[in-house]
Amino acid sequence: MDWKEYEEITKYVYETLGNAAGTKIVGHGRTCKVEGKSGVSHQIDILTSHSDGVHNYRTAIECKYWDKKINKEIVMKIAEIIEDSGINKGVVVSKMGFTEDAISFAEYKNVGLVELREMEKRDWQDQLTKPSFQVALVSITTAITLRRPEISSIIIHRINDNPIKINPRHMAVRHNSGYEVSIDQYFGAFKKLLHDQEPEKILEKYYELKDAILINRTTKEETPISGFTLLGKLTVRNDDVKREIEIVDEVWLTMKILFEGNSFSVLKSGLIKKDE
């Protein structure tokens, strides 16, 4: 940060804080000048205006991005400017604070003093991490529809015997051509059919197999079959997933208004929070 950026940030802070109270920035920078009763033109870093409905009140803000504390000479300068130009209030903003004589003279002359600086490690020495604030709490609801085809049973039709129910694990079918097909392949095709069915409606499908052999790959047992029947249904379940995401931002600047006793934290996002 340099002095120009410091001045722009000070302008932003006063503009943001003043919005609720009706305070407006009426001028800033090198072109912001007011003419005093003496006929001398005075350059003002930031000039604000506020109306109570009857009268307009102007405040001159002097920004000092110095690497040392501000002394009473700077306070005397702003005091003389506001007196000569008829401005109602003067404020000096410093990143390094003020000397004791500057504070005493400013209080006597009713000049506001503000310390605005970047957050330093000493400011959170009693904490493990840099202070941060919750910027937003986002609630996200994801609507999930689960469609699950379920095979409830398999009925094996043995040749010259009553049909039986079996555990299809490790089972395969050998066709009369000698080609073996895992039962799982039939299951996969059947589940595709279930996806197109009305939920919870039982579907029954018969697979005719001529001169086929049912093989148990674990026990090596072989059973002649004429086919098998699969029964199943489609289950549909709505399962909404809710979660909350906390968005936080670190404190970038700290601002202390000396005589008013107020302090503020400026976040990197630009939000300004009044400290408790």
Side-chain angles (χ1 to χ4, degrees), residues 6-100:
Y6 188 73
E7 187 175 302
E8 285 294 329
I9 289 168
T10 303
K11 170 181 170 291
Y12 168 79
V13 169
Y14 273 88
E15 192 171 32
T16 303
L17 292 177
N19 280 338
T23 301
K24 297 181 180 179
I25 305 293
V26 295
H28 73 284
R30 295 299 184 190
T31 60
C32 180
K33 296 182 180 180
V34 293
E35 188 167 336
K37 297 186 291 288
S38 63
V40 175
S41 179
H42 304 286
Q43 189 270 325
I44 306 295
D45 289 341
I46 303 169
L47 184 64
T48 71
S49 177
H50 173 70
S51 175
D52 61 3
V54 179
H55 301 97
N56 286 325
Y57 299 91
R58 295 185 299 168
T59 299
I61 302 171
E62 183 82 0
C63 300
K64 293 299 179 186
Y65 192 67
W66 291 4
D67 290 327
K68 62 181 181 179
K69 291 185 177 181
I70 302 303
N71 57 33
K72 72 177 188 297
E73 279 71 25
I74 299 300
V75 179
M76 292 174 65
K77 173 188 172 183
I78 191 71
E80 290 172 355
I81 289 175
I82 62 176
E83 183 179 350
D84 185 41
S85 59
I87 292 175
N88 307 91
K89 176 79 174 178
V91 175
V92 181
V93 180
S94 164
K95 79 163 183 173
M96 293 297 292
F98 306 87
T99 61
E100 290 298 328

Side-chain angles (χ1 to χ4, degrees), residues 232-276:
K233 65 179 181 179
L234 176 68
T235 60
V236 178
R237 180 165 59 92
N238 295 320
D239 190 8
D240 291 348
V241 178
K242 296 181 179 180
R243 61 174 177 160
E244 290 185 338
I245 299 176
E246 182 184 27
I247 300 176
V248 298
D249 195 6
E250 288 186 345
V251 176
W252 176 31
L253 305 174
T254 178
M255 177 180 181
K256 295 180 181 179
I257 304 176
L258 268 63
F259 302 133
E260 296 180 13
N262 294 327
S263 62
F264 298 86
S265 295
V266 182
L267 310 187
K268 288 184 177 180
S269 61
L271 292 177
I272 302 176
K273 297 279 189 179
K274 186 176 181 180
D275 298 334
E276 299 296 333

Side-chain angles (χ1 to χ4, degrees), residues 162-182:
N162 295 326
I164 61 171
K165 294 183 179 180
I166 66 166
N167 185 342
R169 183 173 293 182
H170 307 302
M171 305 299 289
V173 175
R174 184 191 299 137
H175 293 261
N176 55 12
S177 63
Y179 178 68
E180 286 189 10
V181 178
S182 171

Side-chain angles (χ1 to χ4, degrees), residues 58-262:
R58 295 185 299 168
T59 299
I61 302 171
E62 183 82 0
C63 300
K64 293 299 179 186
Y65 192 67
W66 291 4
D67 290 327
K68 62 181 181 179
K69 291 185 177 181
I70 302 303
N71 57 33
K72 72 177 188 297
E73 279 71 25
I74 299 300
V75 179
M76 292 174 65
K77 173 188 172 183
I78 191 71
E80 290 172 355
I81 289 175
I82 62 176
E83 183 179 350
D84 185 41
S85 59
I87 292 175
N88 307 91
K89 176 79 174 178
V91 175
V92 181
V93 180
S94 164
K95 79 163 183 173
M96 293 297 292
F98 306 87
T99 61
E100 290 298 328
D101 59 351
I103 295 173
S104 298
F105 190 74
E107 191 170 16
Y108 171 71
K109 282 292 188 177
N110 194 28
V111 173
L113 299 182
V114 175
E115 182 180 329
L116 177 64
R117 59 177 174 78
E118 291 182 279
M119 179 71 69
E120 300 175 359
K121 192 170 183 179
R122 60 187 170 94
D123 296 309
W124 72 89
Q125 59 184 356
D126 296 331
Q127 305 178 47
L128 294 177
T129 58
K130 192 174 183 180
S132 61
F133 288 89
Q134 183 188 84
V135 176
L137 185 63
V138 181
S139 180
I140 301 175
T141 301
T142 304
I144 300 175
T145 301
L146 299 176
R147 297 172 60 87
R148 182 179 178 183
E150 297 179 346
I151 298 175
S152 56
S153 63
I154 174 173
I155 302 173
I156 303 298
H157 301 278
R158 296 188 294 176
I159 296 176
N160 301 323
D161 204 346
N162 295 326
I164 61 171
K165 294 183 179 180
I166 66 166
N167 185 342
R169 183 173 293 182
H170 307 302
M171 305 299 289
V173 175
R174 184 191 299 137
H175 293 261
N176 55 12
S177 63
Y179 178 68
E180 286 189 10
V181 178
S182 171
I183 288 290
D184 285 339
Q185 292 189 36
Y186 291 99
F187 280 13
F190 184 63
K191 286 181 177 180
K192 288 182 179 179
L193 295 176
L194 289 176
H195 272 295
D196 298 327
Q197 299 302 305
E198 182 180 338
E200 302 302 324
K201 182 178 180 180
I202 299 296
L203 176 66
E204 179 178 324
K205 181 169 178 60
Y206 173 63
Y207 291 87
E208 183 178 4
L209 302 169
K210 187 177 180 180
D211 299 329
I213 302 295
L214 181 67
I215 302 172
N216 187 320
R217 288 176 171 171
T218 301
T219 65
K220 307 302 181 182
E221 181 183 357
E222 297 186 2
T223 304
I225 61 173
S226 60
F228 59 85
T229 301
L230 295 179
L231 290 89
K233 65 179 181 179
L234 176 68
T235 60
V236 178
R237 180 165 59 92
N238 295 320
D239 190 8
D240 291 348
V241 178
K242 296 181 179 180
R243 61 174 177 160
E244 290 185 338
I245 299 176
E246 182 184 27
I247 300 176
V248 298
D249 195 6
E250 288 186 345
V251 176
W252 176 31
L253 305 174
T254 178
M255 177 180 181
K256 295 180 181 179
I257 304 176
L258 268 63
F259 302 133
E260 296 180 13
N262 294 327

